[in-house]
Structure formats: structure tokens, C-alpha cells
Amino acid sequence: VFIVCSGDFLKPKVEPLRILLYGPAGSGKSSFITSVANIFKQRLTSEALADAVCAGTSFTMKIEVSGNSEILPFVFNDVMGLEGGESKGVHPGDIINILKGHIKENYEFHKFPLGDEDEFYNRSPSLSDKVHCLVCVLPADQISFIKDDVTKKMREIRERASEMGIPQVVMVTKVDCACPVVKSDLRKMYHSMTIKEKVNKLGVTMNYIFPVKSYHEEKDVVPEIDVLILDALLKTVNLANDFVNKDQKSLH
Ligand SMILES: Nc1nc2c(ncn2[C@@H]2O[C@H](COP(=O)(O)OP(=O)(O)O)[C@@H](O)[C@H]2O)c(=O)[nH]1
Ligand SMILES: [Mg+2]
């Protein structure tokens, strides 16, 4: 935790750095956010744990150090799953709207993407309204079973984000469900052929692929869980920071 909070990390040019998570329903997006919050000892409200239906569902992270609370310079945006054909789930067009900073807080997703006439449409987003790193969350035990329509939506989102130069990472969650060896000892993860095969199957060009396990039934802190999550978090935040620095340079 102290490594994450020291040095340049805490002072990005734009605050907060905005990190958007997307993926199939049940892939572990909310659990990942909750785990990060747990690591930083923030108590989450039940609201934060509920499924995110609003575009503006963003979670600010705080750390408490001897009674003083400090707000960390990043926020997570959690959106609901992508599945459900045309009627349910978030429309990829709205994820792209979020990437560009066009959707205001508390907008509830509809069947069709938000139009530029809507009161929730932000026509002139600033750099801080935009997403600075995009995280695709995929469950290790389900990678081979993701439905075609969800895969198609994910590809569309990925391609648009690439066009915008937004850095992208994949969190492969639930590694304990995919491999019994890893379940019994998380430190074996980097040697696990099962996890390697799953990750290779993604076959996508990504800045990083991080295997993680979230807190879900543990009552106490597990250092092995923290290490995986903090490693993924630190690299994600650094990529977001690089993007913001680059974007600023191109403006001047
Ligand atoms: N075993 C295990 N279960 C997990 C993990 N992450 C999430 N879960 C469980 O998977 C289910 C869906 O997770 P959730 O975070 O709600 O997914 P979301 O729909 O993407 O937000 C919940 O029951 C979680 O407790 C993990 O790393 N390991
Ligand atoms: Mg959720």
C-alpha cells in the first residue's frame, strides 16, 4: 500500500484518474472494486456493492491513516454487464460515450445509446471527464464460454478505445475457480498452465493482462490476494497517468 501511495503516483496532472471496468455480468467487476477498497481500508456502502445501473456510478477510494482520510487520485467506473441482445445490458455505444466523457453522472442506461440532445449528454467534456484507462474484466473459468454477442460488443469497445489511444488492460478474475492448484496456493499462479492457456485464448493485443483473485468469502486480509490486486492496480493507474500526460502534450 505504501509503495502505491508514495512518490509521483499521488499527483497526476488530472485528478481523479478515471478507470472504467466493463465485461460480462458476474465477471467480478464489483468484487474487484470492493477488494481494492478493502485493501485501502475504506468501508463500502451497500450502495456501492449493488449492481451499477448508472453511468456515473464511480467509486472514489479513500485511505485512513491514523484518523485522517486521504482521497486517492483515481476513481473506478463500474457499469452493468454487456449481455442481453438488444434490450438488456449496457449498449456498447454508451460505453464509448463514457470513454469520451459524454455521459453525465447518474444517467440510467437505456436500450439505445444516449443521444446528443439529451440533458445527460455532456457536449464539451474536459480531459477529466474522459476515461484514462479501460479495463476488460473476464472470469478465468468462463473465458471459453462467453457468448458471441458479448464478444462482439467487447471487440467494438476495444477497437474504439484503441482509436482513441486509451490504454487497455484485462483483469482475468476468479483464477481460483479455474485452477485447483491456484485455489490452494495463489503464489502458484504464474506457474499455472491452466491460467496461461486461458489467458492465451484471449488472443488480443492488450497493454497488460492481469490474473487476479478478489476477496469474496475471506474474513481476514490475505497478503497473496493483496499482492495480485495491488500489482494490477498500480500498473493500471500508471497507464492512466501516462495517457493523461500524453493527451496534455498533444493539446499544447
Ligand atoms: N471464487 C471467486 N469468486 C469471485 C471472485 N470475484 C468475484 N467472485 C464472485 O462472483 C460473483 C459475481 O461477482 P460480481 O463482482 O458481482 O460481478 P460483476 O457482475 O462483474 O460486478 C459474486 O458472487 C462474487 O462473490 C474471485 O476472484 N473468486
Ligand atoms: Mg457488478
Side-chain angles (χ1 to χ4, degrees), residues 47-213:
E47 204 184 342
L49 294 166
D51 216 23
V53 291
C54 299
T57 311
S58 54
F59 301 113
T60 307
M61 299 285 158
K62 286 185 201 154
I63 39 170
E64 298 267 339
V65 182
S66 47
N68 296 321
S69 87
E70 192 161 351
I71 293 176
L72 294 174
F74 55 87
V75 296
F76 285 113
N77 283 68
D78 188 9
V79 291
M80 63 175 143
L82 291 164
E83 43 273 283
E86 292 298 305
S87 56
K88 281 188 285 154
V90 57
H91 194 287
D94 268 340
I95 298 216
I96 291 154
N97 274 331
I98 301 174
L99 294 179
K100 293 179 173 172
H102 284 314
I103 299 191
K104 294 181 188 168
E105 293 272 315
N106 302 323
Y107 168 69
E108 279 196 30
F109 294 114
H110 297 297
K111 198 169 160 182
F112 299 106
L114 181 69
D116 58 8
E117 298 299 315
D118 199 283
E119 56 169 320
F120 280 99
Y121 193 90
N122 178 359
R123 271 167 217 229
S124 45
S126 65
L127 180 56
S128 67
D129 296 320
K130 296 179 188 172
V131 169
H132 310 124
C133 188
L134 179 63
V135 180
C136 177
V137 181
L138 296 175
D141 57 333
Q142 295 290 322
I143 284 179
S144 337
F145 309 111
I146 295 170
K147 292 202 185 85
D148 286 348
D149 68 315
V150 175
T151 310
K152 196 166 148 250
K153 289 178 185 178
M154 290 197 299
R155 190 180 316 127
E156 185 182 341
I157 294 164
R158 215 159 54 216
E159 286 170 1
R160 297 302 297 276
S162 300
E163 284 164 24
M164 288 178 242
I166 298 171
Q168 300 181 53
V169 304
V170 182
M171 303 275 178
V172 178
T173 55
K174 305 191 181 182
V175 288
D176 55 315
C177 302
C179 178
V181 179
V182 175
K183 186 180 166 77
S184 61
D185 183 359
L186 268 186
R187 283 172 297 183
K188 298 248 166 71
M189 180 147 70
Y190 291 105
H191 307 289
S192 161
M193 281 315 288
T194 315
I195 300 293
K196 254 186 212 127
E197 277 163 21
K198 302 268 182 205
V199 169
N200 286 344
K201 242 190 205 131
L202 289 175
V204 290
T205 326
M206 289 279 173
N207 299 66
Y208 289 103
I209 296 177
F210 303 114
V212 291
K213 171 180 174 354

Side-chain angles (χ1 to χ4, degrees), residues 1-10 40 72-74 230-231 233-234 237:
V1 173
F2 289 111
I3 298 167
V4 175
C5 297
S6 66
D8 296 339
F9 178 85
L10 263 184
F40 287 102
L72 294 174
F74 55 87
L230 285 176
D231 181 54
L233 176 69
L234 179 59
V237 170

